[in-house]
Amino acid sequence: MPEWGELSAMLLMGLVGTAHCIGMCGPLVAILPSENGAIRVHLAYNLGRITMYTLVGALLGALGGGLQSLGSTGESLAWVARLQLMMSLLAAALLIVLGLARIGLIREPSWMSVASPTMIPGFRQIHTAAINRRRIPMIYAFGVFMGLLPCGLSYAAFSRAVAAQSLFEGAALVGVFGLGTLPGLLLVGTGLAPFMNRTRTLSNALSGLLMIGMSLSLILDLLLTTI
């Protein structure tokens, strides 16, 4: 079970990243049906997106938990411990890089564009069906695909899940982050969305600082456990 402080940090990162979410995902979300049942449509889309976030977090957390279990049984304890350390350091390094990119001190890594949902078989069909047929299951499926949209914020959440120690911890950390992004994307199409876009610079700075803070916390935990 992740600590409340970690869950709060992930939730806050999602909340303060609201303006970034609107700026990046807003045009995609704005094309969703917005007549009768608009709230249901946007809730279905966001539930799909958060579902994918949680699944990715669970997979990454299960990987970390599996390594920890191997180490606890004494099977190849040395290499398991080294691999766990490397994964945690990689997660911390990614958080720092993405945090600095969010603040604007460095460019966002170009490799992020590789993980595009459009590369997934069936994405275009789901996208077309969601827009044209306007059925809730299709809207939900579209949200699931969009959970893989290359995004510094979600990648930062995934990076933190790499250092998780169980399936549940990874799912909880990234799922809570996804819930933090929910209010911002529900504002798309309302009169508040343009206002949130104007706060994007501040939003990016705050979320970047949170990423760096989580990275430093992770490094400190590693130091305390290895000393």
Side-chain angles (χ1 to χ4, degrees), residues 21-44:
C21 291
I22 290 177
M24 183 171 184
C25 304
L28 294 167
V29 179
I31 62 176
L32 294 175
S34 57
E35 298 93 2
N36 295 333
I39 292 297
R40 288 194 310 123
V41 166
H42 286 277
L43 282 175

Side-chain angles (χ1 to χ4, degrees), residues 154-173:
S154 60
Y155 280 19
F158 297 157
S159 297
R160 178 60 188 86
V162 170
Q165 298 180 0
S166 70
L167 180 151
F168 177 77
E169 182 179 352
L173 287 169

Side-chain angles (χ1 to χ4, degrees), residues 60 87 90-92 94-95 98 154-163 218:
L60 294 173
M87 288 179 60
L90 175 62
L94 283 173
L95 281 168
L98 294 172
S154 60
Y155 280 19
F158 297 157
S159 297
R160 178 60 188 86
V162 170
L218 186 55

Side-chain angles (χ1 to χ4, degrees), residues 118-177:
T118 58
M119 299 175 63
I120 301 174
F123 172 80
R124 297 188 186 282
Q125 290 83 350
I126 291 291
H127 174 258
T128 301
I131 303 305
N132 294 335
R133 298 181 187 175
R134 306 186 178 190
R135 294 177 182 172
I136 293 300
M138 289 296 182
I139 299 292
Y140 172 82
F142 178 53
V144 170
F145 276 100
M146 293 307 294
L148 295 176
L149 184 73
C151 167
L153 283 174
S154 60
Y155 280 19
F158 297 157
S159 297
R160 178 60 188 86
V162 170
Q165 298 180 0
S166 70
L167 180 151
F168 177 77
E169 182 179 352
L173 287 169
V174 186
V176 166
F177 159 77

